[in-house]
Amino acid sequence: MPKQVDFLVVGSGIAGLTFANKAAKYGDVLVLTKKRKADSSTNYAQGGIAAVFGEDDAPEYHIRDTIKAGEGLCHEKAVQTMVREGPALVEELHSMGCRFSMNSRGHFDLGQEGGHSRRRIVHAKDFTGQEIERVLLEETKKAGVSISENEIALDLVVQDRECQGIYYLDADTRQIDLIHASATVLATGGAGQVYNHTTNPPIATGDGIAMAYRAGAKVANMEFVQFHPTAVYSIKIDGRSFLVSEAVRGEGGVLKTKNGVTFMKKYHQSGNLAPRDIVARACLEEMHRTRSKYVLLDVSHLQADFIKNRFPTIYETCLSWGLDITREPIPVVPAAHYLCGGIYVNEWAESSIPRLFALGECSCTGVHGANRLASNSLLEALVFAKRAAKRVESVKALHASRPIKTKKTAVVGPNLLFQIKEIMDQYVGLIRSEKGLQSAKRMVDNFRCQFDDGIHIINAESRNVTVVAQLIIESALERKESRGLHFMTDYPKKKKMHCKDTIKEPVLRDAL
Ligand SMILES: Cc1cc2nc3c(=O)[nH]c(=O)nc-3n(C[C@H](O)[C@H](O)[C@H](O)COP(=O)(O)OP(=O)(O)OC[C@H]3O[C@@H](n4cnc5c(N)ncnc54)[C@H](O)[C@@H]3O)c2cc1C
């Protein structure tokens, strides 16, 4: 492993790989990833990427839909950038060999999802993310990017107020080491694993956000956790609940109570295609009302051949559990799915710490505001990764040459994952209260004290999840209103005074 690189990337999902492939033009790039290369949320994305290609569509409509979903908190400039720069990058993926589904006229077969006023979801059947990950990994070979698996980034090295690189643990040798970089890029994905019920894979423990916050970076809008309304009830694969894409409702899937009664029209004029937060809360309410542990998602009225061809992964996965979705409804529940908040960055993906960039789900670009519009996250990751790659060309000239003065010691931290998840599920879910959040805060604050400032060679993820949980709870307590994904029973309405980002910045005791 080199001791020094130009560009050090943490994470091998869509954000990290897109950046790496583009930045390879300007210098040497090393990607560290904590498990295998393809272990990422990207690999599980089903629905697709939202981008303006339809004949009846225009950037203005996509911008309007995104801003509407974000309930007053979207940064309009960031949205404009994403929507206008996105389609070229989707075309680029296609030209790299990404097998997107096409219609009979040779154009992208555009899907429909909730909150979008037009068909604009470019997809590869229901395994879009897997296809993107495959193509991007192939590109890394062509671009000469090195990827090192089983390397867990532990902490950032910040000296003289600049990011100089990272400490990481080689999971095979159990050695901690340090890599020096001109630019460090966090692309570590989301944090769904702070909850028990999540569609996110086990890597999603918010490591990048916790690392950046510990190092002094600004973190924003952590209270906005998106719960997907339709994860399959009671079955988990490798620590994640299996998602049934929103595209299923886009193609005619209908939500029903366990007694077979449709209910979404009661909650929103767009019915089954209402924004995700509304659908998720409606499902929860119907579950309470009917005293059921799930609601049903029914596609059995659609043509069996259409279902098998359009949603092969969902069809076959459910069939492997004995559920034929062409004949029977799917029992579903809401599950934590996407984090709108993260490391606060500007339009070039630069964090508040010089030479530290953040991309993809671990970042907060301002694109999603209080609620992410479906399929905007892959697009955001592509666009801001491209922009960061442009930016680092100038950062390279600042190559760090000063020796790192301090080295941290490794200690064993407690494993608190189980306890944190229980607290988050119980008090910090879809519906929150001041009292519940205060209880959660007391408990998580107590856990936080159990970690000192050393690097935790064992249970690094437990330490990170504790920080992320604390950030979500504290941000939620600050937002004394209900807006987008954040719903408080004590404050059920939106308030003008809260129409701003919730920004958290740690008070550092000493430089790392
Ligand atoms: C089931 C599912 C379906 C989805 N469907 C869609 C969809 O249809 N459309 C859409 O737009 N979005 C979708 N999303 C959201 C979208 O997939 C993610 O937001 C996006 O893929 C995140 O990309 P990323 O590159 O930021 O992170 P990821 O793809 O999650 O990659 C994170 C990487 O960081 C690595 N990593 C993390 N911590 C460390 C560490 N400490 N050290 C080293 N490496 C580390 C991981 O191993 C991984 O390689 C879906 C998400 C899920 C879970």
Side-chain angles (χ1 to χ4, degrees), residues 142-202:
K142 294 183 204 155
V145 169
S146 312
I147 305 185
S148 199
E149 296 181 318
N150 296 324
E151 312 286 6
I152 305 168
L154 297 173
D155 263 312
L156 297 168
V157 180
V158 176
Q159 201 166 277
D160 302 331
R161 294 172 190 263
E162 288 192 331
C163 184
Q164 308 275 349
I166 58 155
Y167 291 104
Y168 71 98
L169 167 74
D170 183 320
D172 297 324
T173 62
R174 312 301 290 167
Q175 295 292 313
I176 288 186
D177 216 334
L178 183 155
I179 301 180
H180 215 171
S182 301
T184 302
V185 179
L186 294 173
T188 51
Q193 290 287 336
V194 299
Y195 294 89
N196 266 316
H197 300 290
T198 177
T199 62
N200 291 189

Side-chain angles (χ1 to χ4, degrees), residues 52-74:
V52 174
F53 286 106
E55 280 163 18
D56 63 345
D57 204 358
E60 289 68 32
Y61 299 149
H62 190 181
I63 292 165
R64 187 189 60 197
D65 294 345
T66 302
I67 288 175
K68 189 170 169 212
E71 296 227 28
L73 294 191
C74 291

Side-chain angles (χ1 to χ4, degrees), residues 147-305:
I147 305 185
S148 199
E149 296 181 318
N150 296 324
E151 312 286 6
I152 305 168
L154 297 173
D155 263 312
L156 297 168
V157 180
V158 176
Q159 201 166 277
D160 302 331
R161 294 172 190 263
E162 288 192 331
C163 184
Q164 308 275 349
I166 58 155
Y167 291 104
Y168 71 98
L169 167 74
D170 183 320
D172 297 324
T173 62
R174 312 301 290 167
Q175 295 292 313
I176 288 186
D177 216 334
L178 183 155
I179 301 180
H180 215 171
S182 301
T184 302
V185 179
L186 294 173
T188 51
Q193 290 287 336
V194 299
Y195 294 89
N196 266 316
H197 300 290
T198 177
T199 62
N200 291 189
I203 54 100
T205 47
D207 296 3
I209 298 169
M211 284 162 59
Y213 184 72
R214 279 196 296 271
K218 284 185 185 167
V219 167
N221 291 354
M222 292 293 286
E223 65 275 35
F224 296 114
V225 178
Q226 186 170 72
F227 287 77
H228 198 291
T230 59
V232 174
Y233 167 66
S234 96
I235 299 177
K236 281 197 180 179
I237 316 175
D238 301 333
R240 70 188 162 91
S241 303
F242 182 70
L243 177 78
V244 182
S245 166
E246 189 156 324
V248 168
R249 279 175 284 129
E251 298 298 346
V254 178
L255 283 162
K256 297 178 175 172
T257 64
K258 71 168 181 196
N259 308 317
V261 180
T262 59
F263 57 84
M264 270 317 299
K265 276 284 178 204
K266 238 176 22 188
Y267 293 91
H268 196 277
Q269 60 193 15
S270 304
N272 288 285
L273 286 180
R276 260 182 208 173
D277 58 314
I278 292 171
V279 183
R281 281 197 293 273
C283 290
L284 203 64
E285 203 164 316
E286 291 298 318
M287 282 159 59
H288 286 317
R289 202 180 57 76
T290 59
R291 298 194 181 168
S292 173
K293 292 190 169 157
Y294 53 82
V295 288
L296 298 171
L297 177 57
D298 196 359
V299 289
S300 61
H301 53 287
L302 303 178
Q303 290 279 333
D305 282 349

Side-chain angles (χ1 to χ4, degrees), residues 11-12 15 33-34 40-42 47-48 151 153 189 207 338 361 375 377-378:
S12 55
T33 193
K34 74 176 169 183
S40 59
S41 288
T42 301
E151 312 286 6
D207 296 3
Y338 184 83
E361 196 169 334
S375 288
S377 42
L378 294 173

Side-chain angles (χ1 to χ4, degrees), residues 409-472:
T409 45
V411 293
V412 177
N415 186 350
L416 299 168
L417 277 175
F418 175 80
Q419 289 93 325
I420 296 284
K421 283 168 185 266
E422 290 290 307
I423 294 167
M424 295 301 282
D425 275 4
Q426 189 171 350
Y427 299 111
V428 201
L430 260 168
I431 296 176
R432 301 160 179 181
S433 71
E434 180 98 37
K435 195 170 160 217
L437 288 173
Q438 290 292 3
S439 305
K441 180 169 160 45
R442 270 193 302 279
M443 289 185 265
V444 175
D445 282 354
N446 271 338
F447 290 145
R448 185 81 192 95
C449 300
Q450 296 183 34
F451 294 100
D452 65 18
D453 282 340
I455 288 175
H456 294 263
I457 196 169
I458 296 175
N459 301 329
E461 288 177 340
S462 164
R463 178 187 183 217
N464 293 332
V465 158
T466 311
V467 173
V468 170
Q470 214 170 16
L471 285 166
I472 296 174

